[in-house]
Amino acid sequence: MTMKSNLSHQKGAGRGDILLGLVGLFLLYLLYDSGFFTAEAWADFNRRFYQNFVKDSRYMMLVDGLKATVFMTSGATVIGVIVGLILSVIRVAYKGGVPIPILNKFAEAYISVLRGTPAMVQLLIWNFTIFASARDLNTQYIAILAFGLNSGAYVAEIFRGGIESIDPGQMEAARSLGLSYGSSMRHVILPQALRNVVPMLFNEFIALLKETSIAGYIGIDDLTRAGQNIQALTLEHSQPLVMVAIIYLIIVLFLTHLVRKLENWLSRGKRG
Amino acid sequence: MNDMIIEVKDLHKTFIRKDTGTELKVLQGISTGIRKGEKIAVIGPSGSGKSTFLRCLNRMEEPTSGVITFNGEDITSPKCDINLVRRKMCMVFQHFHLFPHLTVRKNLTLAPVDLKLMTQDEADARAHELLSRVGLADKIDEWPDRLSGGQKQRVAIARALAMNPDVLLFDEPTSALDPEMIGEVLDVMKELADSGMTMYLVTHEMGFAHQVADRILFIDKGIISEEGTPDEVFDHPKQPRTIEFLSKVLRR
């Protein structure tokens, strides 16, 4: 409850702010890149722009990179939500008196280890240690696993907060009718908790999108790496990466906008 | 003694505060019981343990010691499946605890259908019948948050009735209601009582307890300090604590 109202009280960027931000960013870049708005500088910019993105359809490298980024983010989100849900239910159930001390210890350890070490190190360990001998496995799947399991630890805490925000009376009422703990969780607690945490899950998805930019370290040509690949081809120092940054920003701002819509819709949907 | 539905022997409940380890002895040896069709009102000062007593009956609170039998079965034994007991001993709460994400209909049918006691169609029909009984048939597809407090509590009563319980436990069912809504809930409970339902009622509504109950338990400091018919307890109380308590609550 409180989490949701906190979120919905944030005054966020509207469509106008987004556009303004983009234009400003682009202008700043132009200033930095060309020094002055001379005809030569503009021509030079255009020439390099052509080199970087148009010649030999190099923009396709960015498109393919974006595809990899979106694919990894989506896959990791699915794993993250499933793992997070399981971990949070284990922890809440244990606290609520279900005798599963070993599972609970495991969940606690999982969460503290995966949250306590850098995602990058985890990614490298998955790729170069655990799956070191599985060379015919698509590295993108390894990345999805690494990012997904990492995200699961964070999602677990989101879910736990969501479940614990539900009035204990709901569980009592369900149990008082003879429903088992599991049924009460499934039919009464989780549907309400889920509704409360949807905006935060979406934010986790957005965070993941940015986090996958380290996938290049295990040789995946994601969006970030695609920018670097263009750099290597054209020996151009700034345009490709700034373009990459703008693409991330557009996606993130768009998703943030969606979350806000979703929050409004959810709070309107909340009856009473 | 065969018609006793619930029998309680020497029930103790001690809460232990986790941070300080201090013990709070809420129930200190309660022995009582309820017959089929009997209505018992439990009264007493706040903090006396009357709600805890009720919540021990369906093991919402685990009794520290003592024996509770329900239809002859020891429900404090580890072998007892408490979920089966609760189907037949339903509870109505002070704060209703309707499921806000489900319609009134689903609130009533969730448990019977999930426990495979009824099909959805049967449960729907039963829901309609029970809602008519509490005067809310037109609210069957409404969301709980759209209902007034009194309507919510009537739905909560119907939800408990949907399980066809042998006993209903009422835990201060009117204490969270605005005064003008208390009457409609008491009317429903009166009708239930007249229909022969076995009821435990923790309440501060002395007038209603007097009118409906067969027996009054006065619980003070974790024990039943006085019990008897409404006339005996209300009109001729013997214990000084009972006299003091009644003089305070009846003065209004």
Side-chain angles (χ1 to χ4, degrees), chain B residues 40-45 48-55 57 91-94 168-175 189 199-206 208-209 217 219:
Chain B
I40 297 182
V42 184
I43 62 171
S48 60
K50 53 193 192 305
S51 276
T52 304
F53 163 68
L54 202 70
R55 289 163 59 82
L57 293 181
M91 191 167 221
V92 174
F93 299 86
Q94 180 179 359
L168 274 181
L169 310 176
F170 289 89
D171 189 5
E172 302 196 26
T174 56
S175 300
M189 290 167 60
M199 292 158 64
Y200 258 116
L201 167 66
V202 170
T203 190
H204 292 293
E205 294 289 330
M206 299 304 156
F208 185 71
L217 304 186
I219 292 190

Side-chain angles (χ1 to χ4, degrees), chain A residues 28-206:
Chain A
L28 269 176
Y29 168 65
L30 279 179
L31 271 173
Y32 163 73
D33 192 54
S34 52
F36 297 97
F37 294 100
T38 58
E40 299 84 60
W42 182 239
D44 181 52
F45 175 84
N46 279 336
R47 184 186 55 75
R48 288 190 289 122
F49 190 88
Y50 177 82
Q51 280 283 323
N52 283 324
F53 306 120
V54 185
K55 188 159 181 277
D56 299 334
S57 297
R58 283 187 188 136
Y59 67 91
M60 278 311 292
M61 295 169 77
L62 293 179
V63 171
D64 289 339
L66 183 59
K67 277 185 198 159
T69 293
V70 170
F71 176 64
M72 285 188 294
T73 308
S74 310
T77 303
V78 171
I79 293 181
V81 167
I82 294 169
V83 169
L85 187 61
I86 294 169
L87 289 173
S88 62
V89 168
I90 288 173
R91 296 196 67 190
V92 172
Y94 176 73
K95 218 172 160 186
V98 181
I100 41 170
I102 295 167
L103 275 176
N104 180 59
K105 270 277 167 266
F106 168 78
E108 275 179 12
Y110 181 104
I111 291 168
S112 78
V113 169
L114 291 220
R115 294 212 309 174
T117 53
M120 166 107 129
V121 175
Q122 292 169 27
L123 180 70
L124 294 176
I125 289 175
W126 280 109
N127 190 56
F128 295 115
T129 306
I130 298 170
F131 286 110
S133 54
R135 284 297 49 149
D136 47 348
L137 190 66
N138 186 341
T139 19
Q140 285 197 21
Y141 292 117
I142 297 175
I144 285 178
L145 190 70
F147 288 124
L149 294 180
N150 176 258
S151 171
Y154 292 90
V155 174
E157 295 297 274
I158 293 176
F159 271 125
R160 191 165 67 102
I163 293 170
E164 285 175 352
S165 73
I166 304 298
D167 178 0
Q170 290 289 309
M171 178 58 93
E172 284 192 351
R175 298 300 308 274
S176 78
L177 294 167
L179 291 177
S180 66
Y181 184 89
S183 273
S184 306
M185 201 49 144
R186 194 154 55 95
H187 296 298
V188 175
I189 306 300
L190 285 182
Q192 296 183 62
L194 203 62
R195 187 194 180 96
N196 286 354
V197 302
V198 161
M200 274 173 287
L201 287 180
F202 228 86
N203 286 333
E204 173 64 17
F205 177 79
I206 294 172

